[in-house]
Amino acid sequence: MVKFIYNLFLFFVALLMLPKALWDLIFYKKYRRFFAEKLGWKTPNFSISKSSLCIWIHAVSMGETKAVISL
């Protein structure tokens, strides 16, 4: 029952946010460019050359980011 109420709440929040999202989509060019990526419909294009070695590290806080600098 709690899961149903939570999903219902999220649905109504999404409905309340829809006019703002449509406004931004229509009038601001920068939102149109990444709209599909924000909704998860398209993955971003990460093009890395094969000659370079790249390590991706996910850090949430500034402390984690500073701790990774030594890598």
mmCIF file with all atom_site columns, all heavy atoms in Angstrom, residues 34 37 42-47:
data_model
loop_
_atom_site.group_PDB
_atom_site.id
_atom_site.type_symbol
_atom_site.label_atom_id
_atom_site.label_alt_id
_atom_site.label_comp_id
_atom_site.label_asym_id
_atom_site.label_entity_id
_atom_site.label_seq_id
_atom_site.pdbx_PDB_ins_code
_atom_site.Cartn_x
_atom_site.Cartn_y
_atom_site.Cartn_z
_atom_site.occupancy
_atom_site.B_iso_or_equiv
_atom_site.pdbx_formal_charge
_atom_site.auth_seq_id
_atom_site.auth_comp_id
_atom_site.auth_asym_id
_atom_site.auth_atom_id
_atom_site.pdbx_PDB_model_num
ATOM 1  N N   . PHE A 1 34 ? 19.343 18.606 -24.760 1.00 0.00 ? 34 PHE A N   1
ATOM 2  C CA  . PHE A 1 34 ? 19.594 17.476 -23.879 1.00 0.00 ? 34 PHE A CA  1
ATOM 3  C C   . PHE A 1 34 ? 18.321 16.880 -23.286 1.00 0.00 ? 34 PHE A C   1
ATOM 4  O O   . PHE A 1 34 ? 18.373 16.124 -22.322 1.00 0.00 ? 34 PHE A O   1
ATOM 5  C CB  . PHE A 1 34 ? 20.516 17.905 -22.737 1.00 0.00 ? 34 PHE A CB  1
ATOM 6  C CG  . PHE A 1 34 ? 21.849 18.406 -23.214 1.00 0.00 ? 34 PHE A CG  1
ATOM 7  C CD1 . PHE A 1 34 ? 22.183 19.737 -23.101 1.00 0.00 ? 34 PHE A CD1 1
ATOM 8  C CD2 . PHE A 1 34 ? 22.753 17.541 -23.796 1.00 0.00 ? 34 PHE A CD2 1
ATOM 9  C CE1 . PHE A 1 34 ? 23.404 20.198 -23.541 1.00 0.00 ? 34 PHE A CE1 1
ATOM 10 C CE2 . PHE A 1 34 ? 23.976 17.997 -24.238 1.00 0.00 ? 34 PHE A CE2 1
ATOM 11 C CZ  . PHE A 1 34 ? 24.305 19.330 -24.115 1.00 0.00 ? 34 PHE A CZ  1
ATOM 12 N N   . GLU A 1 37 ? 18.128 13.012 -23.253 1.00 0.00 ? 37 GLU A N   1
ATOM 13 C CA  . GLU A 1 37 ? 19.070 12.445 -22.299 1.00 0.00 ? 37 GLU A CA  1
ATOM 14 C C   . GLU A 1 37 ? 18.565 12.595 -20.870 1.00 0.00 ? 37 GLU A C   1
ATOM 15 O O   . GLU A 1 37 ? 18.756 11.706 -20.037 1.00 0.00 ? 37 GLU A O   1
ATOM 16 C CB  . GLU A 1 37 ? 20.428 13.111 -22.454 1.00 0.00 ? 37 GLU A CB  1
ATOM 17 C CG  . GLU A 1 37 ? 21.092 12.791 -23.773 1.00 0.00 ? 37 GLU A CG  1
ATOM 18 C CD  . GLU A 1 37 ? 22.345 13.603 -24.015 1.00 0.00 ? 37 GLU A CD  1
ATOM 19 O OE1 . GLU A 1 37 ? 22.699 14.438 -23.161 1.00 0.00 ? 37 GLU A OE1 1
ATOM 20 O OE2 . GLU A 1 37 ? 22.974 13.396 -25.060 1.00 0.00 ? 37 GLU A OE2 1
ATOM 21 N N   . LYS A 1 42 ? 17.890 8.604  -24.450 1.00 0.00 ? 42 LYS A N   1
ATOM 22 C CA  . LYS A 1 42 ? 19.099 8.563  -25.263 1.00 0.00 ? 42 LYS A CA  1
ATOM 23 C C   . LYS A 1 42 ? 20.298 8.640  -24.334 1.00 0.00 ? 42 LYS A C   1
ATOM 24 O O   . LYS A 1 42 ? 20.274 9.368  -23.346 1.00 0.00 ? 42 LYS A O   1
ATOM 25 C CB  . LYS A 1 42 ? 19.086 9.761  -26.214 1.00 0.00 ? 42 LYS A CB  1
ATOM 26 C CG  . LYS A 1 42 ? 20.283 9.880  -27.106 1.00 0.00 ? 42 LYS A CG  1
ATOM 27 C CD  . LYS A 1 42 ? 20.182 11.133 -27.958 1.00 0.00 ? 42 LYS A CD  1
ATOM 28 C CE  . LYS A 1 42 ? 21.497 11.413 -28.642 1.00 0.00 ? 42 LYS A CE  1
ATOM 29 N NZ  . LYS A 1 42 ? 21.523 12.688 -29.299 1.00 0.00 ? 42 LYS A NZ  1
ATOM 30 N N   . THR A 1 43 ? 21.326 7.886  -24.642 1.00 0.00 ? 43 THR A N   1
ATOM 31 C CA  . THR A 1 43 ? 22.529 7.955  -23.822 1.00 0.00 ? 43 THR A CA  1
ATOM 32 C C   . THR A 1 43 ? 23.472 9.006  -24.396 1.00 0.00 ? 43 THR A C   1
ATOM 33 O O   . THR A 1 43 ? 23.545 9.197  -25.613 1.00 0.00 ? 43 THR A O   1
ATOM 34 C CB  . THR A 1 43 ? 23.251 6.604  -23.771 1.00 0.00 ? 43 THR A CB  1
ATOM 35 O OG1 . THR A 1 43 ? 23.560 6.208  -25.099 1.00 0.00 ? 43 THR A OG1 1
ATOM 36 C CG2 . THR A 1 43 ? 22.396 5.553  -23.101 1.00 0.00 ? 43 THR A CG2 1
ATOM 37 N N   . PRO A 1 44 ? 24.210 9.692  -23.530 1.00 0.00 ? 44 PRO A N   1
ATOM 38 C CA  . PRO A 1 44 ? 25.156 10.690 -24.031 1.00 0.00 ? 44 PRO A CA  1
ATOM 39 C C   . PRO A 1 44 ? 26.258 10.032 -24.856 1.00 0.00 ? 44 PRO A C   1
ATOM 40 O O   . PRO A 1 44 ? 26.608 8.873  -24.641 1.00 0.00 ? 44 PRO A O   1
ATOM 41 C CB  . PRO A 1 44 ? 25.743 11.317 -22.770 1.00 0.00 ? 44 PRO A CB  1
ATOM 42 C CG  . PRO A 1 44 ? 24.970 10.793 -21.636 1.00 0.00 ? 44 PRO A CG  1
ATOM 43 C CD  . PRO A 1 44 ? 24.179 9.630  -22.091 1.00 0.00 ? 44 PRO A CD  1
ATOM 44 N N   . ASN A 1 45 ? 26.802 10.784 -25.788 1.00 0.00 ? 45 ASN A N   1
ATOM 45 C CA  . ASN A 1 45 ? 27.861 10.276 -26.648 1.00 0.00 ? 45 ASN A CA  1
ATOM 46 C C   . ASN A 1 45 ? 29.212 10.558 -25.994 1.00 0.00 ? 45 ASN A C   1
ATOM 47 O O   . ASN A 1 45 ? 29.650 11.688 -25.910 1.00 0.00 ? 45 ASN A O   1
ATOM 48 C CB  . ASN A 1 45 ? 27.779 10.943 -28.021 1.00 0.00 ? 45 ASN A CB  1
ATOM 49 C CG  . ASN A 1 45 ? 28.791 10.371 -28.984 1.00 0.00 ? 45 ASN A CG  1
ATOM 50 O OD1 . ASN A 1 45 ? 29.411 9.352  -28.710 1.00 0.00 ? 45 ASN A OD1 1
ATOM 51 N ND2 . ASN A 1 45 ? 28.956 11.030 -30.096 1.00 0.00 ? 45 ASN A ND2 1
ATOM 52 N N   . PHE A 1 46 ? 29.858 9.503  -25.514 1.00 0.00 ? 46 PHE A N   1
ATOM 53 C CA  . PHE A 1 46 ? 31.186 9.629  -24.923 1.00 0.00 ? 46 PHE A CA  1
ATOM 54 C C   . PHE A 1 46 ? 32.178 9.075  -25.929 1.00 0.00 ? 46 PHE A C   1
ATOM 55 O O   . PHE A 1 46 ? 32.333 7.875  -26.071 1.00 0.00 ? 46 PHE A O   1
ATOM 56 C CB  . PHE A 1 46 ? 31.294 8.837  -23.621 1.00 0.00 ? 46 PHE A CB  1
ATOM 57 C CG  . PHE A 1 46 ? 30.376 9.319  -22.547 1.00 0.00 ? 46 PHE A CG  1
ATOM 58 C CD1 . PHE A 1 46 ? 29.340 8.543  -22.108 1.00 0.00 ? 46 PHE A CD1 1
ATOM 59 C CD2 . PHE A 1 46 ? 30.564 10.562 -21.984 1.00 0.00 ? 46 PHE A CD2 1
ATOM 60 C CE1 . PHE A 1 46 ? 28.500 8.983  -21.109 1.00 0.00 ? 46 PHE A CE1 1
ATOM 61 C CE2 . PHE A 1 46 ? 29.727 11.020 -20.985 1.00 0.00 ? 46 PHE A CE2 1
ATOM 62 C CZ  . PHE A 1 46 ? 28.692 10.224 -20.546 1.00 0.00 ? 46 PHE A CZ  1
ATOM 63 N N   . SER A 1 47 ? 32.844 9.952  -26.631 1.00 0.00 ? 47 SER A N   1
ATOM 64 C CA  . SER A 1 47 ? 33.816 9.485  -27.611 1.00 0.00 ? 47 SER A CA  1
ATOM 65 C C   . SER A 1 47 ? 35.217 9.659  -27.037 1.00 0.00 ? 47 SER A C   1
ATOM 66 O O   . SER A 1 47 ? 35.667 10.761 -26.763 1.00 0.00 ? 47 SER A O   1
ATOM 67 C CB  . SER A 1 47 ? 33.676 10.254 -28.918 1.00 0.00 ? 47 SER A CB  1
ATOM 68 O OG  . SER A 1 47 ? 33.853 11.629 -28.689 1.00 0.00 ? 47 SER A OG  1
#
